[in-house]
Amino acid sequence: MEFTFEVRESDLMGRIGRLRVGGKALDTPCLLPVIHPVNQLVTTQELELMGFKGLMTNSYIILSRRRDEALKEGIHRMLQYEGVFMTDSGGYQVLEYGDIEVGYRRVASFQESIGSELSVTLDKPTGFSASEKYARSSMEYSLKNAITTINEYGQGKTVWVGPIQGGLFPLLLSKSASSLVKAGFEFLALGSPVEVMKNYKFPDLLSMVATTRRAIPYSVPLHLFGAGHPLTMALAVALGCDTFDSASYMLFAKDGRFMTEHGVSRLEAMKFLPCSCPICANTTVAGLLELDFTERTRSLALHNLYLLRKEIEVCREAIAEGRLWDLVQEKAIVHPRLFDAFKRLSKAIDLLLDGTPLLKDKGLFVRDRRDLARPELARASGRLKQSVMRSSNSAVLVISEVPLPLSKTRLQDHKLPSECDFYRLHPTLGPYPAELEFVYPFTQTVASSGACGKAQTAAAQKQLRNWGYSEVLLVNVDVDRRNSIAEPRSRQRPKGSSPSPPSSLAPPRLPRPP
Amino acid sequence: MEFTFEVRESDLMGRIGRLRVGGKALDTPCLLPVIHPVNQLVTTQELELMGFKGLMTNSYIILSRRRDEALKEGIHRMLQYEGVFMTDSGGYQVLEYGDIEVGYRRVASFQESIGSELSVTLDKPTGFSASEKYARSSMEYSLKNAITTINEYGQGKTVWVGPIQGGLFPLLLSKSASSLVKAGFEFLALGSPVEVMKNYKFPDLLSMVATTRRAIPYSVPLHLFGAGHPLTMALAVALGCDTFDSASYMLFAKDGRFMTEHGVSRLEAMKFLPCSCPICANTTVAGLLELDFTERTRSLALHNLYLLRKEIEVCREAIAEGRLWDLVQEKAIVHPRLFDAFKRLSKAIDLLLDGTPLLKDKGLFVRDRRDLARPELARASGRLKQSVMRSSNSAVLVISEVPLPLSKTRLQDHKLPSECDFYRLHPTLGPYPAELEFVYPFTQTVASSGACGKAQTAAAQKQLRNWGYSEVLLVNVDVDRRNSIAEPRSRQRPKGSSPSPPSSLAPPRLPRPP
């Protein structure tokens, strides 16, 4: 079956892509709502109308409970849905029910026969609190099934999705992921993050996804099993997860819980519905509570789906606008544990740099020192260090607000020597050659006042020392910053005095073009 | 006309209230969409269906263009809306068109005659870049009109809303606000924040609102003119603004702009609609762009209204849940200039403490040192300093994870003396007496790991010194923290050794009950 994945735009490791399978298309990032093959309160038609182009369902449950029908009609006709189906192998259920008759062959043949487009090979979920021994054995079992399946069946009738297991053990995750790619899998799915998320172990989620992403090529799409939570979606997208499935909308609904941008609340504990979706626009908390269980559950499920649908669109638009870092931060600020994960995002800078464009249309926001880890700034800082070198002894001008180059008249106004090197001052990167003035992201940075004071000043001082200028003259730099920067071995010009001539007038070595 | 304002719940200076006027009710915080009396693309029926219980319109424009009709039918029948009307005086237009025939009397009589529930007396907006001289004169002009109007007309037929002018000058704002209260105004409206917001001067917005709020009683509701922006609403609510009006939904729509939770985007520059409102759930960017100007403007205006409606509900629910501080921070992180304002929120701690309940149902989130300024923690810290004093010389136990009191067996396990003072360790407040263990917010704090490391450690060290314990024994404190806390004049117990007996076994002085 035809399978392609095309990345159209990217930011951090997040990608807007198009996944084509069997003549159908999924735009990514993408959420596949999980539907129950027997007992489904929200219909597939409703899901289609809401814009969901793909669904996830469980091949083992179909096999156990609607086998003949599915074989006769195929999954699409049986479940009345023409979009893309991904079928989970049901490895979890097989394990739970101890159904030893179901081996990888039975699962694979069935998935092929019912016409699923994306079929996960029979796996054994590692789980969250697994010992390394169990993690290894479940990973190896899943890997072996996967490789045997793809080799025996080929990809003529369905596209096999390779399940990555290994729990929290990085070496196991890496081995699992890279072996699957080597075996020919074009689409991988990372297992077991649900428990990690339920336990608020968001830094572990970050490590799991980053480890996996490092082990596979940029062009291979990655599915994250069961990660339909409004808080973590942006983080997972930023680390390179392309698709998600989730039954959360329904599980939460059955438990009377209402999703919001900042988490999940118990409907009974709420007073207002902070949402304008088609459900919430026409009801109230009291209105929902008056409904019978089934209708309330349906309403909550529909609301939850509208919320998740929006969160996916928010991620897509953030990638398109180049503000995915900002979105991840906006989400992270919601919960201290998620903030812990955000603080560790710089450890995945290798991945983030891969997907972040060299140029962006919009201003770059800096709130505090944590934003110094933004890939745009990390990249600019690296280039500055690599490219700007000089051995002359001429004076430096660090100029903050005056546009450059200065006219002769302005030079005279400021009583500057007619030849000297010009620099501007970046709020976080420190001084940079005036020639870079309009190169992204130097003047495009919008920083919170005093956000990076000390770190920035220290960096500037170090740079000035390293660049070996004998004299540093500061013009139009705001007063606070002047006082701190002038310190190391420069001097501030007394008002009205004329500068001592620079000891060398050699022009600065221009930075290499970016 | 009857007027009452009842505060039902509060958090920071934000209030969920009910404002009753002339037999009608507005639940606050509340947005009054501005409608144009002649040219209105979104109908008043549509606004009513969306749940807006009050509208703002301009009495001067009605006076100029639909005078006879308004006098004959009254404003409600003419504009086909039965909710609350607030009418602006049109001071801005009077000024702009130089219509010197319109004095405070003409405006006031007209507002009374057409049956407006809330009528702003004729004012002269100060504007944003006004000199102090102009600010003073415009404030005094507005104040004089206001006082004369309420004295001459009384509040029989309409409730007069007192316009506060004075621009960015705190003394003028204070004088304006307090004089209006003294003159009998029960509802005030703060002028001219639009330009402040357009210029991203969010810290100035904070100062203006805080200054005003300090000058008037807690029970007086405050309207903020023209502040319908999704980014600033939460901040304004947190500082005690109860109602807003805004034409922004329509002005942005006419300019092809789409509101989101994090700002306003040009539709043409967007690829996805990050929203699930009834408009966005059924269209796409391309779909909106295909519409003719009028239909596109209407769709954008409706979307913008759904977004603002949601933002108001988000503020209300955040007050009800006691997470308004968190919401303000979530919004502030979006833009560095708004973050500047958030960093200054602690300067209004007097106001924030006023409205923050002593007890909350939910965990208290701490991400980094900025959260130390939360009123809940500021209050707890103050109480701790006031209440916990002792002069004995017994040993202190600082215990982080073990629930207290320790059983005899546990004491022996840890080789502790049988009598000593017990403390627990709060991630940001430092050590606190075990007796406070279940008092909010001590054990209810959820902190990001290492978020407050240095500040917290410094505070703990100071406290330990001040409390005069001769010996500090640390049990079950996580290792990082133990190393830093143990430093000043305590010692860590070598593993397996028995502690030296404390020099005094006097019980600690219990803190005063909260």
Side-chain angles (χ1 to χ4, degrees):
Chain A
M1 188 177 277
E2 169 227 7
F3 181 84
T4 61
F5 179 60
E6 175 199 355
V7 173
R8 302 184 159 199
E9 296 194 59
S10 71
D11 194 27
L12 307 184
M13 194 61 184
R15 306 90 77 77
I16 293 176
R18 179 159 292 174
L19 197 148
R20 286 182 193 280
V21 54
K24 301 174 184 175
L26 288 179
D27 288 315
T28 68
C30 171
L31 178 77
L32 311 172
V34 172
I35 63 160
H36 194 284
V38 179
N39 178 14
Q40 177 63 19
L41 267 182
V42 175
T43 68
T44 49
Q45 291 87 327
E46 284 173 310
L47 291 166
E48 197 154 16
L49 280 174
M50 289 173 86
F52 292 105
K53 307 276 194 218
L55 300 179
M56 172 74 119
T57 191
N58 187 309
S59 64
Y60 176 75
I61 297 178
I62 302 180
L63 181 65
S64 318
R65 302 179 57 182
R66 299 182 75 176
R67 183 177 167 276
D68 295 344
E69 199 182 349
L71 287 173
K72 189 175 151 209
E73 298 185 354
I75 189 169
H76 293 90
R77 205 170 132 207
M78 181 177 85
L79 297 175
Q80 299 177 282
Y81 180 76
E82 286 310 312
V84 174
F85 268 111
M86 185 188 288
T87 49
D88 194 1
S89 66
Y92 178 79
Q93 286 77 12
V94 173
L95 207 66
E96 185 154 309
Y97 308 144
D99 192 342
I100 47 164
E101 280 185 25
V102 174
Y104 74 92
R105 280 212 181 94
R106 183 129 187 245
V107 170
S109 307
F110 186 69
Q111 286 172 319
E112 269 195 346
S113 309
I114 63 177
S116 167
E117 281 90 2
L118 300 164
S119 304
V120 183
T121 59
L122 183 63
D123 61 340
K124 190 183 276 181
T126 300
F128 164 60
S129 47
S131 66
E132 184 164 0
K133 193 178 159 196
Y134 184 80
R136 181 182 302 278
S137 83
S138 61
M139 182 279 275
E140 284 173 351
Y141 170 89
S142 306
L143 183 60
K144 193 179 147 206
N145 276 344
I147 295 177
T148 326
T149 303
I150 200 170
N151 287 343
E152 279 185 29
Y153 290 82
Q155 305 219 80
K157 294 188 180 164
T158 190
V159 173
W160 299 110
V161 181
I164 303 164
Q165 296 295 346
L168 299 179
F169 300 96
L171 290 178
L172 300 181
L173 288 172
S174 294
K175 192 189 162 193
S176 174
S178 58
S179 306
L180 289 166
V181 171
K182 216 165 141 189
F185 283 90
E186 295 172 281
F187 193 10
L188 305 186
L190 177 59
S192 312
V194 176
E195 284 182 86
V196 174
M197 285 162 61
K198 271 190 188 163
N199 290 280
Y200 291 84
K201 299 280 186 188
F202 303 123
D204 288 333
L205 177 69
L206 182 147
S207 306
M208 285 173 70
V209 179
T211 301
T212 304
R213 204 62 253 188
R214 281 193 191 100
I216 62 178
Y218 184 85
S219 57
V220 171
L222 180 63
H223 179 83
L224 187 62
F225 275 122
H229 196 289
L231 272 186
T232 50
M233 195 106 70
L235 178 68
V237 165
L239 289 165
C241 296
D242 301 293
T243 60
F244 305 85
D245 70 279
S246 185
S248 59
Y249 72 95
M250 185 52 80
L251 298 175
F252 284 134
K254 285 183 177 165
D255 198 27
R257 291 200 274 174
F258 181 99
M259 286 186 179
T260 72
E261 284 91 354
H262 63 272
V264 183
S265 299
R266 297 203 70 81
L267 182 64
E268 286 174 357
M270 296 173 70
K271 297 200 171 151
F272 304 93
L273 299 176
C275 179
S276 277
C277 81
I279 302 298
C280 298
N282 295 303
T283 188
T284 59
V285 173
L288 289 173
L289 289 174
E290 274 168 18
L291 299 173
D292 68 30
F293 177 80
T294 305
E295 272 311 303
R296 181 168 61 248
T297 302
R298 250 184 65 79
S299 293
L300 282 174
L302 287 168
H303 156 77
N304 289 344
L305 282 165
Y306 275 118
L307 197 276
L308 290 171
R309 173 192 177 282
K310 190 202 83 163
E311 290 296 312
I312 285 282
E313 297 296 313
V314 166
C315 288
R316 291 178 180 173
E317 182 64 13
I319 295 172
E321 290 185 12
R323 61 179 300 282
L324 188 54
W325 173 276
D326 305 85
L327 175 65
V328 173
Q329 188 166 189
E330 286 158 30
K331 290 290 173 185
I333 205 80
V334 171
H335 195 287
R337 296 280 165 269
L338 199 59
F339 201 60
D340 284 341
F342 174 69
K343 288 191 286 189
R344 288 173 62 173
L345 200 52
S346 61
K347 299 201 173 166
I349 186 73
D350 55 324
L351 293 172
L352 308 187
L353 280 169
D354 260 7
T356 302
L358 293 177
L359 296 176
K360 292 186 172 183
D361 291 339
K362 300 206 172 181
L364 185 82
F365 287 171
V366 176
R367 297 139 196 102
D368 60 18
R369 66 192 163 75
R370 270 182 296 274
D371 281 321
L372 298 183
R374 292 189 76 121
E376 303 93 335
L377 293 177
R379 183 184 282 148
S381 168
R383 289 190 165 188
L384 215 49
K385 277 181 200 133
Q386 277 187 348
S387 314
V388 182
M389 295 172 291
R390 65 184 295 287
S391 51
S392 79
N393 292 312
S394 63
V396 184
L397 292 179
V398 178
I399 299 187
S400 67
E401 281 149 64
V402 180
L404 292 170
L406 289 179
S407 66
K408 282 245 165 186
T409 330
R410 293 297 300 261
L411 283 176
Q412 284 162 4
D413 283 355
H414 285 291
K415 299 195 176 147
L416 300 176
S418 59
E419 291 203 38
C420 46
D421 297 353
F422 288 101
Y423 283 79
R424 290 204 62 181
L425 191 61
H426 185 274
T428 68
L429 298 172
Y432 64 94
E435 290 79 2
L436 291 176
E437 190 167 29
F438 297 110
V439 174
Y440 185 84
F442 288 98
T443 36
Q444 288 84 347
T445 302
V446 180
S448 173
S449 69
C452 311
K454 282 178 191 173
Q456 178 273 327
T457 303
Q461 290 175 341
K462 202 172 162 193
Q463 276 174 315
L464 293 174
R465 273 196 296 275
N466 289 347
W467 295 352
Y469 283 99
S470 67
E471 188 160 17
V472 178
L473 301 175
L474 305 172
V475 176
N476 275 17
V477 174
D478 84 66
V479 180
D480 283 357
R481 195 168 279 152
R482 171 152 53 183
N483 289 340
S484 49
I485 289 183
E487 192 200 322
R489 54 157 140 164
S490 60
R491 64 173 184 79
Q492 277 187 59
R493 168 117 41 98
K495 264 193 183 164
S497 75
S498 121
S500 54
S503 37
S504 153
L505 296 175
R509 204 152 123 192
L510 285 186
R512 288 197 286 272
Chain B
M1 188 177 277
E2 170 227 8
F3 181 86
T4 61
F5 179 60
E6 175 199 356
V7 173
R8 301 183 159 198
E9 295 195 60
S10 71
D11 194 27
L12 306 185
M13 193 60 184
R15 305 91 79 75
I16 293 176
R18 180 159 291 174
L19 196 149
R20 285 182 193 278
V21 54
K24 301 173 185 176
L26 288 179
D27 288 316
T28 67
C30 171
L31 178 77
L32 311 172
V34 172
I35 63 160
H36 194 284
V38 178
N39 177 15
Q40 176 64 17
L41 268 182
V42 176
T43 68
T44 49
Q45 291 89 328
E46 284 174 309
L47 291 166
E48 197 154 17
L49 280 174
M50 289 173 86
F52 292 105
K53 307 275 194 216
L55 301 178
M56 172 74 118
T57 191
N58 186 309
S59 63
Y60 175 75
I61 297 178
I62 303 180
L63 180 65
S64 317
R65 301 179 55 182
R66 297 183 77 176
R67 182 176 168 278
D68 295 344
E69 199 183 347
L71 288 174
K72 190 175 150 209
E73 299 186 354
I75 190 169
H76 294 90
R77 204 169 134 209
M78 181 177 86
L79 296 175
Q80 300 177 283
Y81 180 77
E82 287 309 311
V84 175
F85 268 111
M86 184 188 289
T87 49
D88 194 1
S89 67
Y92 178 78
Q93 286 76 11
V94 172
L95 208 64
E96 186 155 308
Y97 307 145
D99 191 342
I100 47 165
E101 279 184 26
V102 174
Y104 73 92
R105 280 210 182 97
R106 185 133 184 240
V107 170
S109 307
F110 186 68
Q111 287 172 318
E112 271 195 346
S113 307
I114 62 177
S116 167
E117 281 91 0
L118 299 164
S119 305
V120 183
T121 58
L122 183 63
D123 61 341
K124 189 183 277 180
T126 300
F128 164 59
S129 47
S131 66
E132 185 164 0
K133 192 179 160 196
Y134 184 80
R136 181 182 301 278
S137 83
S138 61
M139 182 277 275
E140 284 174 352
Y141 170 89
S142 307
L143 183 59
K144 194 179 146 206
N145 276 344
I147 296 177
T148 326
T149 303
I150 202 172
N151 287 343
E152 277 185 28
Y153 290 82
Q155 305 217 80
K157 294 190 181 164
T158 190
V159 172
W160 299 109
V161 181
I164 302 165
Q165 297 294 348
L168 299 178
F169 300 95
L171 290 179
L172 300 181
L173 289 171
S174 293
K175 193 190 160 193
S176 174
S178 59
S179 306
L180 288 166
V181 171
K182 216 164 142 189
F185 283 90
E186 294 173 281
F187 193 9
L188 305 187
L190 177 58
S192 313
V194 176
E195 286 182 85
V196 174
M197 285 161 61
K198 272 192 187 162
N199 289 279
Y200 292 83
K201 299 279 185 189
F202 303 123
D204 287 333
L205 177 69
L206 181 146
S207 306
M208 285 173 71
V209 179
T211 301
T212 304
R213 203 63 254 186
R214 282 193 190 101
I216 62 179
Y218 184 85
S219 58
V220 170
L222 180 63
H223 179 83
L224 187 62
F225 275 123
H229 195 289
L231 273 186
T232 49
M233 196 107 70
L235 178 68
V237 165
L239 290 164
C241 295
D242 300 292
T243 60
F244 305 86
D245 69 279
S246 186
S248 59
Y249 72 95
M250 185 52 79
L251 298 175
F252 283 133
K254 286 185 176 166
D255 198 27
R257 293 199 273 173
F258 182 100
M259 286 184 180
T260 71
E261 284 92 352
H262 64 271
V264 183
S265 299
R266 299 202 67 80
L267 182 64
E268 286 174 358
M270 296 174 69
K271 298 201 170 149
F272 304 93
L273 298 177
C275 179
S276 278
C277 80
I279 301 297
C280 298
N282 294 303
T283 188
T284 59
V285 173
L288 288 174
L289 288 175
E290 274 168 18
L291 300 174
D292 68 30
F293 177 80
T294 306
E295 272 312 302
R296 181 167 61 247
T297 303
R298 251 183 65 79
S299 293
L300 282 173
L302 287 169
H303 155 77
N304 289 343
L305 282 164
Y306 276 118
L307 197 276
L308 290 171
R309 173 191 177 283
K310 190 203 84 164
E311 291 296 311
I312 285 282
E313 297 296 313
V314 166
C315 288
R316 290 178 181 174
E317 183 64 13
I319 296 172
E321 290 185 12
R323 61 179 299 281
L324 188 54
W325 174 277
D326 305 84
L327 175 65
V328 173
Q329 188 165 189
E330 286 157 30
K331 290 290 171 183
I333 206 81
V334 171
H335 196 288
R337 298 277 165 273
L338 199 58
F339 201 59
D340 283 341
F342 175 69
K343 288 191 286 190
R344 289 173 62 173
L345 201 51
S346 61
K347 300 203 170 163
I349 187 72
D350 54 323
L351 292 172
L352 308 187
L353 281 169
D354 260 7
T356 302
L358 294 176
L359 297 175
K360 292 185 172 184
D361 291 339
K362 300 208 172 180
L364 184 80
F365 287 171
V366 176
R367 297 140 196 100
D368 61 18
R369 65 189 164 76
R370 271 182 295 275
D371 281 321
L372 299 182
R374 293 188 76 120
E376 303 92 337
L377 293 176
R379 182 185 281 146
S381 168
R383 290 188 167 188
L384 215 49
K385 278 183 199 130
Q386 275 186 349
S387 314
V388 182
M389 295 173 290
R390 64 184 296 287
S391 52
S392 79
N393 292 312
S394 65
V396 183
L397 292 179
V398 179
I399 297 185
S400 68
E401 280 149 66
V402 181
L404 293 170
L406 290 180
S407 66
K408 281 246 163 185
T409 329
R410 293 297 300 260
L411 282 177
Q412 283 161 4
D413 283 356
H414 286 290
K415 301 198 174 142
L416 299 177
S418 59
E419 291 203 40
C420 46
D421 297 353
F422 289 101
Y423 282 80
R424 290 204 61 182
L425 190 60
H426 186 273
T428 67
L429 298 171
Y432 64 94
E435 290 80 0
L436 291 177
E437 191 167 28
F438 297 109
V439 174
Y440 185 85
F442 289 98
T443 36
Q444 289 84 347
T445 302
V446 180
S448 172
S449 68
C452 312
K454 284 179 190 174
Q456 179 271 328
T457 304
Q461 290 175 340
K462 203 172 161 193
Q463 276 174 316
L464 293 173
R465 272 195 298 272
N466 290 347
W467 296 351
Y469 283 99
S470 67
E471 189 160 16
V472 178
L473 301 175
L474 305 173
V475 176
N476 274 16
V477 173
D478 84 66
V479 179
D480 282 355
R481 195 168 281 151
R482 170 150 54 181
N483 288 341
S484 48
I485 289 183
E487 193 201 319
R489 55 157 140 164
S490 60
R491 66 173 183 79
Q492 277 187 59
R493 168 120 38 102
K495 262 192 186 166
S497 75
S498 120
S500 56
S503 37
S504 152
L505 296 176
R509 203 154 123 190
L510 286 186
R512 289 197 285 272

